[in-house]
Amino acid sequence: MKLLRFGPPGAEKPGLLDADGTVRDASGAVADWSGEALAPAALAALPAPADLPAAPAGVRLGPCVARPGKIIAIGLNYSDHAKETGAELPAEPIIFMKATTSYCGPDDAVLLPRGSTKTDWEVELGVVVGAKARYVAEADAAAHIAGYCVVHDVSEREHQIERCGQWVKGKSHDTFCPTGPWLVTPDEVPDPLDLRLWLEIDGKMRQDGSTSTMAFGPAYLISYLSQFMTLEPGDLITTGTPPGVGMGCKPPEYLKAGMKIKLGIDGLGEQNQEIGQA
């Protein structure tokens, strides 16, 4: 099943994608994709997408679930990305937060912060929590996953690395977390550690990797994070990026206004963004 949200920013309705790729309006069956609506039993009780009315053609897609209570990000989680940055693969997951105000739709414009000089790109696999998780064993973690999605973890490297303090400053600007186009339930993702993910800028491939090079997979991350905080339905975990980011180029390259980005994960959909200025 593919869950999505459509409509103007701040007024999105819940929807489903049918087998023909048509957006269907699920607002008569569910208030929004959040909380208990993401539980397996609630999703199993939904009408078939084909039985729901079609949304207007060409409608904007918003982020695939309602604004999460937490956006938790994992740093240096791909062995080949750690190598390109010159960093050691961490012994435990590196955790940082992205502000929920950075959350936006998959095709919304990404805005460079005022004075930005080092805004970078990062395609990532997103994991959405479907059931409350606290001190969960790794063997039980899969039951707490509502689904998987594409996330663009946009990063201002000067703010992240050179401005002191934690990474959150470089990760939290408005529009720095495009999410979607849809949330794909686990039954349609046989192996989340065997997914190709890629990113193009102005038609040139910049990232082309696989989740198989992750150091810490989704189930491990759910278990690990639940030892330090309660994970709640709708929380988003973005799990790190493969190599090919601008910071790793020699010399480094960064985003500029007017550039066009296309990114995706096989089976989870694509995003298209134009870079603008805040």
Side-chain angles (χ1 to χ4, degrees):
M1 187 178 295
K2 294 180 175 66
L3 285 59
L4 54 86
R5 297 168 73 247
F6 65 92
E12 292 94 347
K13 294 181 178 181
L16 295 171
L17 193 74
D18 71 16
D20 296 325
T22 300
V23 174
R24 298 285 179 167
D25 185 347
S27 60
V30 62
D32 209 344
W33 299 127
S34 62
E36 295 304 316
L38 294 169
L43 295 177
L46 290 169
D51 295 334
L52 298 171
V59 70
R60 168 191 174 269
L61 295 182
C64 52
V65 297
R67 181 185 284 186
K70 295 188 286 295
I71 301 174
I72 308 164
I74 308 300
L76 296 176
N77 194 29
Y78 283 68
S79 58
D80 38 8
H81 172 56
K83 183 178 179 180
E84 78 169 340
T85 64
E88 293 288 333
L89 202 61
E92 295 187 35
I94 294 173
I95 302 170
F96 59 93
M97 311 293 277
K98 290 176 76 78
T100 57
T101 46
S102 68
Y103 194 58
C104 63
D107 300 329
D108 293 345
V110 169
L111 302 180
L112 300 175
R114 295 177 186 178
S116 168
T117 59
K118 298 180 180 180
T119 296
D120 206 345
W121 55 86
E122 295 187 43
V123 59
E124 304 202 1
L125 174 66
V127 180
V128 174
V129 176
K132 184 176 286 189
R134 185 167 182 263
Y135 297 114
V136 172
E138 185 176 357
D140 301 325
H144 297 263
I145 296 175
Y148 303 92
C149 58
V150 182
V151 176
H152 189 182
D153 175 22
V154 187
S155 309
E156 214 301 340
R157 301 300 191 189
E158 180 192 11
H159 298 175
Q160 175 190 355
I161 300 169
E162 302 172 30
R163 296 286 297 273
C164 302
Q166 299 183 349
W167 288 6
V168 64
K169 288 192 293 189
K171 298 283 190 171
S172 294
H173 292 286
D174 292 355
T175 75
F176 269 27
C177 192
T179 302
W182 33 76
L183 181 72
V184 183
T185 51
D187 59 295
E188 295 191 16
V189 185
D191 186 358
L193 289 176
D194 186 23
L195 298 172
R196 175 178 176 252
L197 62 174
W198 53 271
L199 181 146
E200 297 177 354
I201 300 176
D202 291 338
K204 180 181 179 181
M205 188 69 72
R206 307 307 297 259
Q207 292 186 270
D208 191 357
S210 171
T211 56
S212 64
T213 67
M214 274 189 183
F216 308 107
Y220 181 88
L221 291 172
I222 291 279
S223 175
Y224 182 84
L225 292 169
S226 77
Q227 311 306 308
F228 302 98
M229 66 190 82
T230 298
L231 302 177
E232 298 181 317
D235 284 350
L236 173 64
I237 304 167
T238 187
T239 58
T241 199
V245 299
M247 182 175 65
C249 296
K250 299 187 187 312
E253 300 178 27
Y254 296 109
L255 295 170
K256 294 179 172 56
M259 286 180 168
K260 291 181 170 60
I261 299 183
K262 184 176 183 179
L263 62 144
I265 301 177
D266 288 358
L268 304 185
E270 298 180 1
Q271 301 183 359
N272 290 272
Q273 296 133 21
E274 183 167 354
I275 305 301
Q277 184 68 56

